[in-house]
Amino acid sequence: MAENLIIEGDSKEEKYQALLPQAHALIMGETDVVAALANLSAALASTFGWLWTGFYLVKGEQLVLGPFQGPIACTRIPHGRGVCGSAWAQNRTLLVDDVDAFPGHIACSSSARSEVVVPIRNTADVVVAVLDVDSDQLGSFDQTDARYLERIVEPLAKLFDQAG
């Protein structure tokens, strides 16, 4: 496993293209879910410098904080609440240009202005976690982010299956 990322390119798309195979290598070479999520959150945060990058794990009817990079975060989020709970309930990626305009937004950090949340599914297509990314700028995320982040987390399905 590599201990350094090599990210070349100036555009968002170029950075994702460089990161994608390296992120998959971090996931594929690991048998522990927490270790894989920790390295993946670090890889994403160091590549893009977002305010907060991390994971929430499904535990019963709530999401529980997992590995992340950034300021202290909410520990538990109920199913269907906030952007993370809504992405879980709707089983789809949510892009939010202005978190203050999102009904029921949970403000874990007053610095967060925009957000993207990607559901992570196991091989049975059940949501087992979400990737949550916050920016301190309005409108930071678009379909390019959604598309690549979805691709980055795809290999986690098998890892979550192994974790039980």
Side-chain angles (χ1 to χ4, degrees), residues 77-131:
I77 299 172
H79 186 261
R81 296 275 317 274
V83 182
C84 289
S86 296
W88 172 26
Q90 297 173 30
N91 193 9
R92 67 182 181 96
T93 298
L94 292 181
L95 293 164
V96 180
D97 288 335
D98 181 354
V99 295
D100 291 332
F102 188 87
H105 175 251
I106 300 169
C108 295
S109 170
S110 61
S111 298
R113 306 300 302 143
S114 59
E115 187 169 2
V116 58
V117 178
V118 178
I120 299 167
R121 299 168 192 88
N122 62 16
T123 57
D125 208 31
V126 174
V127 177
V128 292
V130 297
L131 166 61

Side-chain angles (χ1 to χ4, degrees), residues 17-132:
Q17 288 173 352
L19 177 61
L20 186 62
Q22 296 175 83
H24 284 183
L26 288 171
I27 295 166
M28 301 306 258
E30 185 51 62
T31 58
D32 186 89
V33 171
V34 172
L37 298 180
N39 267 338
L40 195 51
S41 63
L44 286 164
S46 66
T47 299
F48 294 102
W50 294 312
L51 173 68
W52 198 92
T53 305
F55 298 89
Y56 282 92
L57 308 174
V58 173
K59 307 262 181 168
E61 286 301 309
Q62 56 187 335
L63 293 168
V64 178
L65 182 63
F68 71 94
Q69 300 281 312
I72 292 172
C74 299
T75 304
R76 296 175 186 276
I77 299 172
H79 186 261
R81 296 275 317 274
V83 182
C84 289
S86 296
W88 172 26
Q90 297 173 30
N91 193 9
R92 67 182 181 96
T93 298
L94 292 181
L95 293 164
V96 180
D97 288 335
D98 181 354
V99 295
D100 291 332
F102 188 87
H105 175 251
I106 300 169
C108 295
S109 170
S110 61
S111 298
R113 306 300 302 143
S114 59
E115 187 169 2
V116 58
V117 178
V118 178
I120 299 167
R121 299 168 192 88
N122 62 16
T123 57
D125 208 31
V126 174
V127 177
V128 292
V130 297
L131 166 61
D132 179 22

